[in-house]
Amino acid sequence: MTVIDISPSVMQFLLAFIVVGPLLGAVAALLPAPPGLKGRNPDQAVLRHGVTVTGVVLIAAIVLAVGFDHDHPATMQATTDISWIPALDVRIHLGIDGISLPLLVLTALLTFLCALYSYFKPPAGPSPKAFVALVLVLESGTLATFAVLDLLLFFLAFEMVLIPMYFLINRWGGDQRQAAAWKFILYTLLGSVVMLLGLLLVGLKSGTFDMVALATDNGRGLTTSVQVIAVLAIGLGLAVKTPMWPLHSWLPDAHTAAPTVGSVLLAGVLLKMGTYGFVRILLPAAPDGMRTFAPYLAAFAVVGIVYGSLACLALARTGAKGDLKRLIAYSSVGHMGFVLLGIATMTPTGVNGALFANIAHGLITGLLFFLVGAVKDRYGTADLDTLAGATGAALYGRAPRLGALLAFAAVASLGLPGLAGFWGEMLTLFGAYSPAEGLSRPAFRTFMAIGAFGTLLTAAYMLIVVRRVCMGEHTLPARTTPDASAPSAPSASDASLAPATPGPPQTPATTPAPAASPTPGTLQAPTTPGAPQAPPAPQLADVQPYEAAAWTPLVALTVLAGLWPAVLLGLTDPAVQKLLSGGKS
């Protein structure tokens, strides 16, 4: 069933345009703007260009999804197959199925929302021309990763996103951005070198680099030893990008230093490329090798779930001076652990859960990084202790809409039933309860129990964050007996009522009667003139119209996926069944 009947040639053009269009837009962004499109200034013109290009790509992706044959989501559609390097049998092979289509639309949506947000809130840094061009190159590489069906093209697209993200962190990031950018590029490049060797091994030993042919062959053309080596090599590169514990240490630094839109794209899109590679390449092409490493992959996954949650709890505690962006980054390590656990089960239930959790994480964590970026823009800091102090955020009282959105994103992230985060985690745990044949049930049920414990830890740190940032600290210093001669510090609640400058000293006639002498043992307030006073609470702008425009789609899709999971599972399940059964529908 298709919502709109679109001819195959138009579908082919749409998919090719989605992949190549942002690259052409990046080139155009570096050129001078035509006289009629300059707007108020060149910076505004190039930012508007970014919104236009990403908007057109998003429309094309939606049309592609509308024209997709939902009755046959396991079949590759909108395919293009052109010989590129005949000597190596490398082909420009594009196509989408129920696994790649949701990721394609998610990428187009998040990139458009980032471009829209940047138009109204440009990141501080060099010329917006380079910024827009890098975002568009990043979008093109990510879309190509989800659309190509050739191993070498997959590697090229996989690597294409590294340089733009490096420069986005290095040139538009915050503190420690250079060190974070270098760490990001070194980790991912080293993983990619090993991954390339594994891809070449699979292609040369099987006689083809075509991912559809490899999935159909289902590893029958590769010996078990070749599959084990291939899974180890390719899996290492994919695990770095996922990121899997203990190869995750580049992620918190990159997220903390990256600009808001960089963090959104990194969490919402780039992390999905690694897990997509596990599902698209390793599961169907090297099933015996995956079966060998599945218990280890699951073990690393559940360690990542617990480790990420404990790191978040450590950052969230009072006095830890934890950075809120860093905390959300560590939460991603835990959430991606659920994705890896689902893949390691090698069952339709677990893999469907992993794909669902991929999309849910992109929506929810993308929204969280938008919100944390907005709070940081208003306060100039993401330090949790500062945001939780007496003059901190207290978002429920000072910016109720922003506080409500942050609380919504937090409870969605912890897996509240009825929201998108619930289904992915539940399905991966179900998959671990009954893993594929040949895998140890006791081991995977142990992993399931550890993963379930991780969900409790996730709820703990998310609720702590909501309480501290949205409500402020509940613990107040011990009260002292008032003293008439001591200057009193205005509280956050009456700061707006305090005079801006001190008035003239009162005469004895107007001075109130002194308070009674304090009881022995009662603490006295300091009486030193000029004692430091608490600063008045800053005025906080609530959600702005451009922020609402950028965030509302993510909120709506989080609710839709939570209440109607069949929309996504109806796409992924037939394709997953086909992949796991050796190309048979």
Side-chain angles (χ1 to χ4, degrees):
M1 179 197 70
T2 57
V3 180
I4 298 177
D5 191 15
I6 301 177
S7 69
S9 58
V10 174
M11 293 284 284
Q12 289 177 356
F13 170 78
L14 284 172
L15 184 58
F17 172 77
I18 288 169
V19 172
V20 179
L23 206 56
L24 299 177
V27 174
L30 299 175
L31 302 175
L37 298 176
K38 285 185 178 178
R40 293 192 299 271
N41 56 66
D43 289 350
Q44 187 214 31
V46 74
L47 290 169
R48 186 175 61 237
H49 170 78
V51 176
T52 303
V53 173
T54 56
V56 171
V57 171
L58 175 60
I59 292 171
I62 293 172
V63 174
L64 189 72
V66 169
F68 186 82
D69 185 358
H70 293 260
D71 285 338
H72 301 92
T75 303
M76 284 294 171
Q77 302 179 33
T79 55
T80 300
D81 193 0
I82 304 170
S83 179
W84 183 33
I85 307 176
L88 295 176
D89 193 28
V90 177
R91 310 181 69 81
I92 299 177
H93 192 182
L94 305 177
I96 54 168
D97 62 357
I99 293 173
S100 52
L101 179 62
L103 291 166
L104 206 73
V105 176
L106 175 68
T107 301
L109 173 65
L110 283 176
T111 313
F112 169 71
L113 296 181
C114 286
L116 181 65
Y117 186 85
S118 300
Y119 178 77
F120 293 97
K121 186 72 178 177
S127 162
K129 273 193 172 187
F131 175 81
V132 171
L134 289 170
V135 168
L136 291 174
V137 172
L138 182 70
E139 180 183 28
S140 180
T142 312
L143 291 169
T145 302
F146 299 137
V148 298
L149 297 173
D150 183 274
L151 290 181
L152 293 186
L153 280 184
F154 175 86
F155 177 78
L156 293 177
F158 197 86
E159 297 305 292
M160 184 177 168
V161 304
L162 301 185
I163 301 302
M165 183 54 71
Y166 167 80
F167 281 109
L168 286 174
I169 297 171
N170 195 22
R171 302 303 299 278
W172 286 270
D175 297 337
Q176 306 295 322
R177 59 181 183 269
Q178 292 185 347
W182 273 109
K183 199 170 185 180
F184 163 77
I185 199 75
L186 288 176
Y187 263 79
T188 50
L189 278 179
L190 288 174
S192 298
V193 169
V194 181
M195 184 175 74
L196 176 60
L197 296 176
L199 294 173
L200 290 173
L201 176 66
V202 171
L204 295 175
K205 288 292 185 180
S206 63
T208 180
F209 289 98
D210 187 86
M211 292 155 68
V212 176
L214 288 168
T216 304
D217 187 63
N218 201 224
R220 286 182 285 270
L222 301 172
T223 64
T224 301
S225 58
V226 169
Q227 291 189 37
V228 168
I229 296 171
V231 170
L232 183 61
I234 299 172
L236 188 64
L238 297 174
V240 171
K241 187 67 74 70
T242 298
M244 180 186 76
W245 181 92
L247 305 173
H248 69 283
S249 60
W250 61 269
L251 183 70
D253 292 339
H255 271 309
T256 305
T260 296
V261 296
S263 293
V264 172
L265 293 175
L266 183 57
V269 174
L270 264 68
L271 301 189
K272 312 301 172 284
M273 295 165 61
T275 52
Y276 173 79
F278 275 104
V279 175
R280 176 64 72 197
I281 299 173
L282 292 183
L283 275 178
D288 294 336
M290 275 296 294
R291 197 169 287 106
T292 300
F293 282 105
Y296 305 101
L297 180 62
F300 283 126
V302 295
V303 170
I305 292 170
V306 175
Y307 171 84
S309 299
L310 292 177
C312 290
L313 282 171
L315 290 170
R317 75 178 190 274
T318 304
K321 307 297 289 182
D323 187 282
L324 196 49
K325 288 186 72 176
R326 194 175 189 86
L327 186 146
I328 303 302
Y330 272 112
S331 78
S332 291
V333 176
H335 288 305
M336 297 312 290
F338 279 103
V339 178
L340 290 172
L341 177 60
I343 293 170
T345 67
M346 299 184 68
T347 62
T349 302
V351 176
N352 276 302
L355 294 172
F356 200 105
N358 249 349
I359 301 298
H361 179 265
L363 296 172
I364 297 167
T365 308
L367 177 61
L368 275 170
F369 275 116
F370 267 135
L371 294 168
V372 173
V375 172
K376 186 174 182 179
D377 288 339
R378 286 157 169 78
Y379 279 95
T381 181
D383 178 76
L384 195 53
D385 286 336
T386 304
L387 295 175
T391 57
L395 292 178
Y396 285 157
R398 295 179 190 156
R401 294 182 183 85
L402 187 58
L405 282 172
L406 183 60
F408 168 85
V411 297
S413 182
L414 62 84
L416 184 74
L419 298 177
F422 171 74
W423 296 106
E425 294 181 1
M426 186 193 72
L427 289 172
T428 57
L429 294 177
F430 278 174
Y433 182 80
S434 183
E437 182 141 0
L439 299 178
S440 169
R441 284 200 171 193
F444 271 84
R445 288 181 180 178
T446 303
F447 299 146
M448 181 197 73
I450 298 172
F453 176 67
T455 62
L456 300 179
L457 296 178
T458 303
Y461 70 74
M462 278 299 178
L463 293 177
I464 290 172
V465 167
V466 170
R467 178 181 63 79
R468 297 190 70 199
V469 176
C470 295
M471 301 178 185
E473 294 288 12
H474 286 288
T475 55
L476 297 175
R479 289 187 176 275
T480 58
T481 306
D483 189 275
S485 62
S488 60
S491 66
S493 58
D494 60 12
S496 58
L497 303 178
T501 54
Q506 293 178 318
T507 61
T510 59
T511 303
S517 299
T519 333
T522 307
L523 294 175
Q524 288 267 146
T527 58
T528 310
Q533 298 183 351
Q539 295 299 314
L540 187 64
D542 210 340
V543 177
Q544 302 298 303
Y546 73 91
E547 292 173 328
W551 304 341
T552 300
L554 300 180
V555 174
L557 289 173
T558 300
V559 175
L560 176 64
L563 295 178
W564 196 10
V567 173
L568 187 55
L569 293 174
L571 283 173
T572 61
D573 185 53
V576 168
Q577 299 274 3
K578 183 176 180 179
L579 276 183
L580 296 179
S581 63
K584 301 172 185 176
S585 299

